[in-house]
Amino acid sequence: MRTLTIPAFRDQREIPDDDGYFAGLRSDDGPSWDNPSMPPWPDTQYAAEPAQPQYGQPYNTPDGFRRGEVTEVSMTDPTGWKAGTGVPVVDDRPPGESTSGNRLFTVLLFFSGLGTSIALWLFNTRAGAVSDTASTMIAAGRVTGLIGGYLLFVQLLMMSRVSWLEEWVGSRDLLRWHRWLGTSLLAAVVAHIVFIVYGYALTAGTGVVDQGWTVITTFPEMISATIATGLLVFIALISIRFVRNRLNYELWHLVHLTSYGVLLLGYGHQIAAGADMSGRYASVFWPALGCITIAALFWGRIVEPVWLNARHRFTVAEVVAEGANTFSIYIEGKRLDKLPVQAGQFMRWRFLTANGWWQSHPFSLSAAPNSQWLRLTVTIAGGHTRKLATMSPGTPIWAEGPFGTFTAERRTRRRALLIAGGSGIAPIRALLEDMPPDTIVIYRASRPDELVFRTELEELAEERDAWVRYIVGGRNDPGPRRLFTPDGLRGLVPDVNRRDVYLCGPPGLVNAAVDTLKQLDVPESQLHLDPFEF
């Protein structure tokens, strides 16, 4: 018989069984998680969907306020909503420093490296060497080649997943820079090819196509460079949002990893054919840049994950239903009190089952970590997530991370607004445990049965003097339509521009919320998004 010691955690386990709020956590071979004296659950994969509480049902709070309720549009209330927040509007000062200084230093470091890369051409070019169209085209080709090589190193460095880089910069900025630099890298490589081939064609007096073929077949390492360019173009094409949204995630991620091949194939071409790599300064700078990148990849992709899994030995403890198409995975492990993860962060999880060991997916914690277990909450969105719901206790797990700066310690103000949509409630639910008093949670869902953790949210709200507002309905219903308008959001959160705002949900919800928050003069430094793309 297997038992598991659970720390006291009132918002999850002190709900009476006859409430209908919480179905409990099941163990196939032992007592239930929330009551060790109870008999085992029936032999089903996970517990039946818990009944939802009736909306509008009184919620006992010592101050007379209901901490969580469905909020609807009102034609009489001056805020536009039937349910007010009851939160006073008080000015405040930031409790801590922002990471803007880190970002500024990183940007300066990036442009310093870029300038140094371009300087390799400048130091290796004598005065008067650029005198006609052909030499100008060749010079432009050399410069864009150096830029492209440097951007490739930086791109791979951002993909290395080394923990210090995310902690220093932040995952949101890394994601934005990764996308922007990917486009710039492709443009630089294509420009390098066009300028070089056209410049040599002018010099030789031949056609562009003939000269291109001559370059590929006669210059050293050009075959590998051509393959690298083809891979780069293919990666760029499948990274277009329209294309990516229609691709299987595992396939997209696998193809994206071929960017390591671009580095290996392209580096030989840079050293063998690069006219600016022969100088004494270049012979140190360029290999050093390559060594730093490779070392970061080795550390972030191999050393850190091996150490993490050898130390903690994660396994599945239980799979529990939470609501419509949603379930939670409870995870056991060794020395979880030493795991450097915070509420709001995510990790990449590889469940070592017969049909899913080769797939790795990012899932956020849906409860603050403790020394006994971790919890992930998953919404079924395809074949892989559907199979996760059938896992047996004891299934081994390979994890990487933690990642992300979607944490309470990144706050710059004394109060917070948490906005969740769909499966985005998982990190928001965890974050609420670390947030200060007067935090407001706005939970957007299409149907009442899609609301998960309602009891936990309201229990936590009571404990932490917070407020939860559920906006339920289709996108064309009055409440959801009003939510992300300046008047609608200000009606729910009058002091919104003096709060840190944490957003997690579908791209449409996040984009609509960000646009509205900018109209309400919420500074960029107070916006926290939860992207887990790497």
Side-chain angles (χ1 to χ4, degrees):
M1 178 178 293
R2 180 174 61 84
T3 60
L4 184 65
T5 303
I6 301 297
F9 197 47
R10 184 167 67 87
D11 62 294
Q12 290 183 203
R13 276 164 294 282
E14 294 183 7
I15 308 298
D17 292 333
D18 56 357
D19 269 357
Y21 275 54
F22 183 64
L25 305 180
R26 181 188 62 81
S27 173
D28 287 334
D29 55 355
S32 65
W33 290 55
D34 58 327
N35 189 347
S37 64
M38 290 180 63
W41 284 81
D43 189 19
T44 56
Q45 186 53 45
Y46 51 86
E49 178 181 336
Q52 295 291 333
Q54 296 297 316
Y55 300 123
Q57 162 179 331
Y59 190 79
N60 297 324
T61 60
D63 55 15
F65 290 106
R66 285 184 295 181
R67 296 290 174 172
E69 57 191 332
V70 173
T71 302
E72 300 175 352
V73 172
S74 172
M75 301 302 294
T76 56
D77 193 293
T79 69
W81 299 98
K82 287 184 179 179
T85 62
V87 181
V89 179
V90 181
D91 201 358
D92 54 11
R93 293 185 178 184
E97 296 182 355
S98 172
T99 58
S100 57
N102 297 351
R103 291 193 293 268
L104 177 60
F105 179 79
T106 305
V107 170
L108 293 175
L109 190 63
F110 166 79
F111 281 107
S112 297
L114 181 61
T116 303
S117 300
I118 296 175
L120 298 181
W121 168 80
L122 186 62
F123 294 155
N124 203 42
T125 303
R126 58 181 177 82
V130 182
S131 57
D132 54 15
T133 303
S135 59
T136 300
M137 292 295 101
I138 293 174
R142 289 165 60 184
V143 170
T144 51
L146 289 168
I147 293 174
Y150 175 75
L151 293 181
L152 178 60
F153 283 131
V154 174
Q155 279 284 77
L156 292 175
L157 182 62
M158 289 193 296
M159 292 175 60
S160 65
R161 296 181 184 168
V162 287
S163 56
W164 61 265
L165 186 59
E166 281 209 355
E167 293 173 3
W168 178 259
V169 178
S171 56
R172 182 188 177 194
D173 287 305
L174 284 178
L175 176 61
R176 292 192 299 182
W177 295 349
H178 179 72
R179 289 173 175 170
W180 181 79
L181 290 178
T183 304
S184 302
L185 170 60
L186 180 62
V189 170
V190 172
H192 167 68
I193 296 170
V194 171
F195 286 137
I196 286 291
V197 172
Y198 184 54
Y200 284 163
L202 290 177
T203 301
T206 61
V208 173
V209 176
D210 291 339
Q211 187 60 40
W213 180 253
T214 301
V215 168
I216 293 174
T217 55
T218 60
F219 279 51
E221 302 292 340
M222 280 306 302
I223 298 296
S224 62
T226 303
I227 296 173
T229 302
L231 286 174
L232 186 62
V233 172
F234 184 60
I235 292 170
L237 289 176
I238 69 167
S239 297
I240 298 173
R241 189 180 298 275
F242 174 81
V243 178
R244 180 182 171 181
N245 289 341
R246 285 158 177 76
L247 283 179
N248 178 276
Y249 176 83
E250 292 79 20
L251 176 61
W252 175 87
H253 189 256
L254 181 63
V255 173
H256 212 67
L257 291 178
T258 59
S259 55
Y260 301 142
V262 176
L263 173 64
L264 296 176
L265 294 170
Y267 187 79
H269 163 69
Q270 293 170 356
I271 298 301
D276 301 304
M277 296 295 155
S278 57
R280 183 174 60 181
Y281 183 68
S283 65
V284 174
F285 175 75
W286 212 253
L289 196 59
C291 288
I292 291 173
T293 303
I294 293 173
L297 287 169
F298 180 75
W299 185 264
R301 296 279 183 165
I302 299 177
V303 175
E304 286 188 339
V306 168
W307 169 252
L308 177 78
N309 289 275
R311 188 183 195 192
H312 298 291
R313 301 179 185 178
F314 302 106
T315 59
V316 173
E318 203 66 68
V319 180
V320 181
E322 298 288 2
N325 294 323
T326 304
F327 59 93
S328 289
I329 304 171
Y330 285 78
I331 296 173
E332 296 174 302
K334 307 291 185 181
R335 302 176 183 174
L336 292 184
D337 56 320
K338 304 296 184 182
L339 183 66
V341 62
Q342 301 178 58
Q345 288 187 304
F346 69 93
M347 299 175 69
R348 300 190 68 90
W349 304 92
R350 189 185 303 272
F351 298 94
L352 304 182
T353 60
N355 52 17
W357 61 269
W358 54 279
Q359 301 183 57
S360 173
H361 284 260
F363 294 122
S364 299
L365 300 182
S366 61
N370 59 69
S371 62
Q372 300 297 320
W373 47 261
L374 305 174
R375 186 177 72 178
L376 318 177
T377 299
V378 181
T379 298
I380 296 176
H384 176 64
T385 50
R386 191 177 303 278
K387 290 174 182 177
L388 294 182
T390 65
M391 288 189 300
S392 301
T395 300
I397 305 171
W398 180 270
E400 297 179 48
F403 303 113
T405 55
F406 196 68
T407 60
E409 71 174 14
R410 294 286 172 153
R411 288 191 303 111
T412 63
R413 311 298 287 182
R414 295 190 185 279
R415 291 192 300 278
L417 167 64
L418 314 181
I419 302 177
S423 59
I425 191 58
I428 294 295
R429 154 65 184 82
L431 268 178
L432 185 56
E433 296 187 54
D434 289 346
M435 285 296 163
D438 282 340
T439 292
I440 298 175
V441 178
I442 297 177
Y443 185 2
R444 172 78 177 91
S446 298
R447 303 188 311 272
D449 64 344
E450 291 182 355
L451 294 172
V452 296
F453 302 136
R454 181 166 184 181
T455 300
E456 294 185 23
L457 288 168
E458 293 171 10
E459 289 269 328
L460 277 173
E462 172 61 24
E463 289 179 0
R464 307 194 65 81
D465 196 22
W467 311 84
V468 185
R469 295 290 174 253
Y470 307 100
I471 309 297
V472 180
R475 64 179 62 185
N476 294 321
D477 291 346
R481 286 176 58 189
R482 180 177 175 77
L483 174 60
F484 294 126
T485 63
D487 289 340
L489 193 54
R490 190 187 292 112
L492 282 176
V493 192
D495 59 342
V496 61
N497 61 349
R498 291 194 291 273
R499 291 176 179 265
D500 280 281
V501 183
Y502 289 77
L503 290 160
C504 189
L509 178 144
V510 171
N511 293 336
V514 169
D515 290 343
T516 303
L517 291 165
K518 289 181 177 178
Q519 294 179 55
L520 293 172
D521 298 322
V522 178
E524 183 83 10
S525 61
Q526 292 171 216
L527 297 180
H528 309 271
L529 276 65
D530 182 27
F532 32 83
E533 299 287 339
F534 295 120

